[in-house]
């Protein structure tokens, strides 16, 4: 899933934090320059204003979307935005004072100084930070370039020159000649057109830019394959005719005006709300994890001496790999024994693993009479207690509370192009297919269908509904034990 506002609240929280700090520094300096002392926080009116101006700053940023494309702004535009932003905050503060009937007790000189100093501070700090980011050039979006041979150099140069510290060029696909292994402008040609979709399935690729010359037409089949994987596709608009896809809009990549095609897109505001929900839920979840550790850790260690936590490399959004954490519910040799148990896998083809009774789980035993004995491992799995350490992944930003379950690397390597659509968003602790049937669903294609349905129809209300249904599912599971 693509975020239409490519630079904003989510990707540049550093700019927001710096802006809030600048405003508070301006507030204190204004108080000092007005001759009222060194500490405005001792006066209740000024103390309340110190908190209010921060909320006003966030409100203006949220409503005016002043952080949109912040890295692309020039000096003049940045200054105009800073002036408008500061004046708007000043007007809101004046309204606040009049509504509370405190205008006569708050220094107008201090308020004017605050706004003027804030405009200057935030402008200087923002420009300095932008220069710092541009020097680093550490892209946070993995971009695959699909080009024809005759324009390959030009496309690489354009995207590199207009990177805005955003893109990490993952490689090049030359569609009209096999140049695999060669380098163009310092970037490796990673595959040919025939194997491009498979490359996207197995590597971390967030977006694809397709730009060819006038003599080389776009391959509609290749575009269809990319779209099927769920990856965001940008098409050089000068050559677009009839493009498949679900959500489309025009934007710019480097020097190219492109038509962007994605399975879905979310606005900056929507993603901000989702991220705030994740942060709040992640903090609460981590606190609960700490409490659970006190009781769960001894039980795990007594039944199976060894680490309490289990980490495993998983495949996240658009193929990016990360370490996922759990309370350890299996014996230490569980990974080695997985292969011998594949014949009992209810999901059948190795793209997902599920068993009715897993002997690798701590305490699970098959008794001589054929009955099953369970222990602490089965308990924490059935009650979903083992999932709580994943709230740390949520806080880190590797996962979301609601999403698709992240596959193992070995599972993702078996994906066909249409299965990769599951990776179009951040993986989650819970999701639509879990609440739609949880362990009852044994058809992987049904899992993919439900995950795709979630991604195509995503909204904040849907996340809240799934979260509530997850709680009900877990409570019913506990009640059945």
């Amino acid at each position: 899933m693509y975020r239409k506002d490519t630079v904003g609240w989510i990707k540049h929280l550093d700019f927001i934090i710096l802006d809030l700090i600048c405003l508070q520094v301006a507030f204190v300096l204004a108080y000092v320059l007005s001759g009222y002392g060194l500490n405005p926080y001792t006066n209740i009116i000024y103390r309340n204003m110190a908190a209010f101006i921060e909320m006003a700053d966030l409100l203006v940023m949220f409503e005016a979307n002043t952080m949109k494309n912040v890295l692309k702004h020039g000096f003049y535009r940045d200054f105009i935005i800073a002036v408008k932003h500061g004046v708007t905050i000043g007007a809101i503060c004046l309204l606040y004072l009049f509504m509370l009937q405190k205008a006569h007790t708050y220094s107008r000189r201090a308020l004017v100084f605050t706004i003027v100093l804030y405009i200057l501070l935030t402008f200087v700090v923002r420009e300095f930070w932008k220069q710092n980011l541009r020097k680093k050039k550490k892209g946070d979006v993995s971009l695959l370039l699909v080009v024809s041979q005759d324009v390959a150099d030009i496309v690489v140069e354009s995207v590199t020159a207009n990177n805005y510290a955003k893109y990490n060029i993952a490689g090049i696909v030359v569609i009209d000649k096999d140049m695999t292994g060669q380098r163009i402008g310092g970037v490796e040609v990673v595959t040919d057109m025939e194997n491009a979709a498979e490359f996207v399935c197995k590597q971390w690729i967030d977006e694809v830019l397709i730009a060819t010359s006038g003599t080389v037409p776009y391959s509609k089949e290749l575009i269809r394959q990319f779209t099927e994987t769920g990856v965001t596709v940008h098409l050089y608009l000068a050559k677009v005719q009839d493009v498949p896809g679900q959500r489309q809009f025009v934007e710019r990549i480097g020097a190219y005006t492109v038509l962007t095609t994605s399975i879905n897109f979310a606005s900056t505001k929507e993603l901000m709300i989702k991220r705030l929900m994740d942060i709040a839920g992640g903090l609460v979840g981590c606190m609960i994890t700490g409490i659970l550790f006190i009781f769960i850790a001894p039980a795990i260690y007594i039944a199976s001496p060894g680490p309490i936590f289990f980490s495993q490399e998983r495949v996240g959004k658009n193929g990016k790999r990360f370490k996922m954490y759990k309370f350890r519910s299996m014996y230490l040799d569980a990974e080695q024994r997985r292969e011998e148990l594949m014949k009992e896998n209810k999901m059948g083809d190795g793209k997902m693993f599920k068993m009715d009774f897993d002997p690798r789980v701590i305490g699970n035993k098959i008794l001589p009479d054929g009955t099953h004995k369970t222990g602490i491992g089965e308990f924490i799995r059935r009650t979903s207690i083992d999932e709580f350490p994943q709230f740390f992944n949520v806080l880190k930003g590797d996962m979301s509370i609601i999403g698709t379950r992240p596959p193992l690397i070995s599972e993702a390597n078996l994906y066909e192009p249409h299965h990769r659509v599951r990776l179009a968003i951040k993986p989650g602790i819970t999701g639509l297919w879990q609440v739609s049937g949880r362990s009852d669903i044994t058809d992987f294609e049904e899992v993919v269908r439900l995950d795709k349905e979630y991604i195509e129809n995503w909204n904040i209300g849907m996340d809240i509904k799934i979260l509530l249904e997850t709680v009900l599912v877990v409570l019913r599971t506990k009640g059945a034990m």
Side-chain angles (χ1 to χ4, degrees), residues 16 35 79 84 97-98 104 112 130 138 142 195 197 199 224 229 278 309 313 326 337 339 387-388 410 449 451 453 470:
I16 298 170
F79 184 73
K84 289 180 179 178
L97 291 170
F98 277 112
H104 62 288
V112 171
K130 281 164 63 175
K138 291 184 179 178
S142 181
N195 298 300
F199 179 83
R224 185 196 65 76
T229 67
D278 284 342
F309 295 103
E313 195 169 27
K326 285 187 173 188
R337 297 170 60 188
E339 197 61 38
E387 308 282 358
F388 272 88
S410 59
R449 185 191 68 78
D451 284 341
E453 179 184 328
T470 300

Side-chain angles (χ1 to χ4, degrees), residues 311-368:
S311 67
Q312 189 177 53
E313 195 169 27
R314 296 286 183 118
V315 180
K317 182 180 178 182
N318 292 325
K320 187 176 183 180
R321 297 177 183 182
F322 70 100
K323 278 192 175 181
M324 189 181 79
Y325 301 96
K326 285 187 173 188
F327 279 122
R328 184 168 63 89
S329 62
M330 292 188 174
Y331 291 110
L332 296 176
D333 63 348
E335 291 294 291
Q336 291 73 34
R337 297 170 60 188
R338 185 175 188 267
E339 197 61 38
E340 67 186 59
L341 295 170
M342 283 300 294
K343 60 181 180 295
E344 299 182 44
N345 182 12
K346 292 170 63 179
M347 303 303 285
D349 55 8
K351 298 184 184 73
M352 187 174 282
F353 187 85
K354 193 177 290 292
M355 287 181 64
D356 286 327
F357 186 80
D358 195 335
R360 301 173 302 159
V361 175
I362 298 174
N364 278 9
K365 292 181 180 178
I366 300 177
L367 301 178

Side-chain angles (χ1 to χ4, degrees), residues 161-447:
N162 297 281
N163 192 5
Y164 304 117
K166 176 186 176 184
Y167 292 112
N168 167 42
I169 302 179
I172 302 171
V173 178
V174 179
I175 65 174
D176 56 341
K177 185 178 180 180
D178 187 1
M179 298 177 62
T180 305
Q182 298 182 38
R183 302 187 76 85
I184 299 174
V187 181
E188 184 180 0
V189 179
V190 292
T191 188
D192 55 17
M193 186 173 75
E194 184 179 346
N195 298 300
E198 183 180 354
F199 179 83
V200 167
C201 283
K202 295 183 178 180
Q203 301 295 325
W204 167 29
I205 302 295
D206 293 305
E207 302 173 19
V208 174
L209 169 62
I210 303 178
T212 64
S213 67
T215 59
V216 180
Y218 285 156
S219 168
K220 291 187 178 180
E221 176 59 22
L222 183 60
I223 296 171
R224 185 196 65 76
Q225 290 174 356
F226 283 147
T227 306
E228 186 179 43
T229 67
V231 72
T232 296
V233 179
H234 305 287
L235 297 167
Y236 180 30
L237 200 58
K239 287 183 60 58
V240 171
Q241 296 178 359
D242 186 18
V243 182
Q246 299 183 20
R247 305 294 177 90
Q248 298 179 331
F249 46 88
V250 176
E251 58 176 357
R252 289 186 67 82
I253 299 288
Y256 298 96
T257 301
V258 297
L259 181 69
T260 296
T261 303
S262 177
I263 188 172
N264 199 350
F265 68 82
S267 69
T268 303
K269 295 178 183 179
E270 289 173 323
L271 285 185
M272 184 205 71
I273 295 171
K274 184 174 177 66
R275 183 59 184 150
L276 289 177
M277 287 172 59
D278 284 342
I279 291 172
L283 289 171
V284 173
C286 284
M287 287 189 287
I288 296 174
T289 301
I291 296 170
L292 290 172
F293 179 86
I294 298 172
F295 302 98
I296 295 297
I300 293 174
Y301 191 81
I302 291 170
S304 174
I308 306 304
F309 295 103
F310 171 72
S311 67
Q312 189 177 53
E313 195 169 27
R314 296 286 183 118
V315 180
K317 182 180 178 182
N318 292 325
K320 187 176 183 180
R321 297 177 183 182
F322 70 100
K323 278 192 175 181
M324 189 181 79
Y325 301 96
K326 285 187 173 188
F327 279 122
R328 184 168 63 89
S329 62
M330 292 188 174
Y331 291 110
L332 296 176
D333 63 348
E335 291 294 291
Q336 291 73 34
R337 297 170 60 188
R338 185 175 188 267
E339 197 61 38
E340 67 186 59
L341 295 170
M342 283 300 294
K343 60 181 180 295
E344 299 182 44
N345 182 12
K346 292 170 63 179
M347 303 303 285
D349 55 8
K351 298 184 184 73
M352 187 174 282
F353 187 85
K354 193 177 290 292
M355 287 181 64
D356 286 327
F357 186 80
D358 195 335
R360 301 173 302 159
V361 175
I362 298 174
N364 278 9
K365 292 181 180 178
I366 300 177
L367 301 178
D369 61 359
T371 58
H372 293 167
K373 177 182 179 297
T374 61
I376 182 63
E378 190 69 19
F379 170 76
I380 65 175
R381 286 166 68 88
R382 286 193 175 276
T383 55
S384 298
I385 289 174
D386 63 324
E387 308 282 358
F388 272 88
Q390 289 167 44
F391 282 105
F392 178 66
N393 289 115
V394 172
L395 276 183
K396 284 178 62 184
D398 295 326
M399 295 178 64
S400 178
I401 294 176
I402 313 296
T404 61
R405 288 302 293 166
L408 296 169
I409 296 171
S410 59
E411 294 171 342
N413 285 340
L414 298 174
Y415 280 9
E416 297 172 25
H418 72 281
H419 296 146
R420 193 192 182 277
V421 71
R422 303 185 66 235
L423 306 179
I425 60 170
K426 278 186 184 179
I429 296 177
T430 186
L432 181 60
W433 77 262
Q434 287 95 326
V435 300
S436 299
R438 211 175 187 197
S439 58
D440 297 332
I441 298 178
T442 58
D443 182 3
F444 182 66
E445 294 297 336
E446 177 65 8
V447 172

